[in-house]
Amino acid sequence: MSNNILSEQEQVVLDKLIMLFVIDKMEIPLTEDSILDICSVKNTWIKNYMDCKAIIHNLVESNLLYRIGNEEQGKVLFNISYEGRECLSNLYRRIPLASREEISQYLKANRLTVKSSQEYSATYTKNDDGSYNVILQIYEPLITTPMFELRIKAPSRQSANEAIHKWKSQAPSIYENIFNNLININ
């Protein structure tokens, strides 16, 4: 590999190894959106977004990643398989040391943010009458169906966005308050 120019095939192998490295270092299963965000949006470790998306599914087909859950259950998580860890342990040195260090530092600094973004989900849809249905959910790290779901009707898009913004920062305390008021643990 003179001149640090990789052939297309070498770049694909490197991109796959980088993705395995990221998922292994995160130490929790990740949604497809989280993987894409980490590898291709917030960082350019895998430069092409569509290639990144294809790599996820290629690694699943190759049994280097495995899926947890399915679309009908809620969300799908991806985790590194035993074969994926073995492959990574044999080939991780193909990832340049500077890249491994950059990835490790980024993941260490952002692990909790990524984890909470997967645990607290919030979306909205517009109704025919102009109001919005807001769906607020809490997921446990290894479970693909929500352990808690709250649906509310917001009068405007602005109020729906406000509810989503507040949910992301206040979900644990809101859940605790509702849980304590509804369920007697004595």
Side-chain angles (χ1 to χ4, degrees):
M1 288 193 299
S2 60
N3 301 341
N4 288 334
I5 297 174
L6 300 176
S7 71
E8 189 174 329
Q9 185 176 2
E10 290 170 326
Q11 187 62 53
V12 169
V13 169
L14 178 60
D15 289 347
K16 289 177 180 181
L17 288 170
I18 286 172
M19 186 174 292
L20 289 173
F21 187 76
V22 166
I23 295 169
D24 185 53
K25 287 290 183 190
M26 276 301 293
E27 299 175 349
I28 59 168
L30 297 171
T31 63
E32 182 173 300
D33 287 343
S34 292
I35 296 169
L36 294 168
D37 197 43
I38 292 167
C39 293
S40 194
V41 176
K42 291 186 177 166
N43 302 288
T44 54
W45 301 325
I46 300 175
K47 291 179 181 30
N48 186 311
Y49 180 88
M50 293 309 291
D51 288 347
C52 188
K53 199 170 179 77
I55 288 169
I56 294 169
H57 298 285
N58 182 273
L59 290 173
V60 170
E61 289 172 10
S62 303
N63 295 321
L64 300 176
L65 292 181
Y66 65 94
R67 289 179 204 263
I68 301 170
N70 59 49
E71 293 297 330
E72 293 80 42
Q73 287 183 313
K75 67 179 178 177
V76 175
L77 299 171
F78 295 90
N79 205 357
I80 189 167
S81 66
Y82 172 79
E83 292 86 356
R85 276 193 173 77
E86 202 169 275
C87 174
L88 182 62
S89 71
N90 291 324
L91 301 174
Y92 81 98
R93 289 188 179 171
R94 287 191 181 185
I95 304 169
L97 178 60
S99 296
R100 291 193 314 257
E101 289 174 349
E102 177 187 342
I103 292 167
S104 295
Q105 287 174 357
Y106 176 86
L107 296 177
K108 185 177 180 183
N110 293 283
R111 180 174 283 113
L112 292 177
T113 303
V114 171
K115 188 175 182 233
S116 69
S117 75
Q118 291 189 160
E119 289 177 351
Y120 311 125
S121 170
T123 59
Y124 66 81
T125 56
K126 188 173 184 177
N127 297 318
D128 293 337
D129 66 359
S131 66
Y132 290 81
N133 285 330
V134 181
I135 303 167
L136 309 169
Q137 298 172 318
I138 297 178
Y139 290 88
E140 289 187 78
L142 297 173
I143 309 297
T144 57
T145 55
M147 65 176 255
F148 178 78
E149 183 173 279
L150 178 63
R151 294 175 180 260
I152 57 174
K153 192 171 185 175
S156 67
R157 183 176 179 183
Q158 180 181 352
S159 59
N161 278 323
E162 190 175 310
I164 286 173
H165 179 72
K166 287 180 179 177
W167 179 250
K168 299 216 182 223
S169 63
Q170 299 176 16
S173 61
I174 292 170
Y175 172 72
E176 181 180 15
N177 188 10
I178 291 171
F179 187 84
N180 288 339
N181 281 301
L182 294 178
I183 299 177
N184 186 359
I185 303 178
N186 294 334

